[in-house]
Amino acid sequence: MADVREFELFHGIVLTKLVRSERPTTLRMIETNPQQAWAAYEINDEITLYTKYRTAPRILSRGRGGQSWTFVFSPFELDRIRRLESEKQVYLVLVCGYKDRRKPSPSRTCGMQTCFLNPDKLHKIIDINSEGQQTITVRCTPGQSLRVSGSATIKPLTVPRNALDTWNVPG
């Protein structure tokens, strides 16, 4: 019996939120190399959902505290997103997690989060046409919406914590 891979666990968070809706949803994982954990899912044959996760938050000490997670997109990943966009709109879900999921910690003031970005917000945050790497940082402060900034932003965007839960999935 094969062990559960980390990406399967974190992608499961996203997929569970998608299939819990009362509306039937079809999804298919898009993989081109079985040795790599591709994070692209085709949903209802209409859109692509790209999922990425991080398990190493940085603790924020200023202000009200909280955590931030930084997601790095390599030129290879940016090229992958561009190719996917040539076929369908690409939405992005960033899973903000923790390496050790068993023990709660006082420093985890936000808990695990999903940050959902529609294509418009994705393009405001990073430049997918960049030949260099791009980054997205998700900041979680207790009691507030997520603040998301990236290589292409000057001012962080506000993303509701429940954006994925309330998303009206196309199709």
Side-chain angles (χ1 to χ4, degrees):
M1 207 162 158
D3 290 337
V4 173
R5 297 190 314 189
E6 188 175 67
F7 94 91
E8 293 170 327
L9 181 67
F10 286 101
H11 287 207
I13 293 167
V14 174
L15 300 178
T16 299
K17 288 178 178 284
L18 287 177
V19 298
R20 282 178 57 179
S21 72
E22 294 179 18
R23 200 165 159 209
T25 303
T26 60
L27 59 97
R28 178 175 63 91
M29 184 175 204
I30 303 168
E31 282 210 15
T32 58
N33 182 343
Q35 302 303 316
Q36 296 181 5
W38 278 117
Y41 297 87
E42 187 175 279
I43 299 178
N44 294 337
D45 297 323
E46 290 202 20
I47 60 109
T48 298
L49 184 67
Y50 194 91
T51 303
K52 194 168 174 87
Y53 70 92
R54 291 283 299 159
T55 60
R58 185 173 63 96
I59 305 301
L60 302 174
S61 57
R62 286 198 268 161
R64 298 182 61 194
Q67 289 93 29
S68 69
W69 291 261
T70 299
F71 298 81
V72 178
F73 290 81
S74 68
F76 183 77
E77 286 178 292
L78 295 171
D79 181 59
R80 176 76 172 140
I81 293 171
R82 281 192 303 273
R83 284 187 279 133
L84 290 167
E85 272 194 340
S86 71
E87 297 172 20
K88 294 176 174 43
Q89 284 189 309
V90 175
Y91 292 73
L92 177 66
V93 177
L94 302 170
V95 180
C96 304
Y98 299 95
K99 191 73 162 167
D100 183 358
R101 292 161 298 282
R102 293 174 290 163
K103 294 188 239 173
S105 165
S107 63
R108 296 183 188 180
T109 56
C110 290
M112 285 207 271
Q113 301 292 319
T114 56
C115 178
F116 177 72
L117 301 173
N118 64 29
D120 182 51
K121 285 188 177 183
L122 170 62
H123 286 275
K124 287 180 180 175
I125 297 288
I126 60 172
D127 177 6
I128 67 162
N129 294 310
S130 174
E131 292 186 21
Q133 79 177 19
Q134 295 281 292
T135 61
I136 297 176
T137 299
V138 178
R139 180 179 176 176
C140 178
T141 304
Q144 295 185 359
S145 292
L146 301 173
R147 302 291 188 261
V148 185
S149 58
S151 300
T153 57
I154 295 172
K155 182 179 177 186
L157 300 178
T158 300
V159 176
R161 291 184 194 213
N162 67 345
L164 181 60
D165 298 313
T166 60
W167 180 38
N168 187 13
V169 181

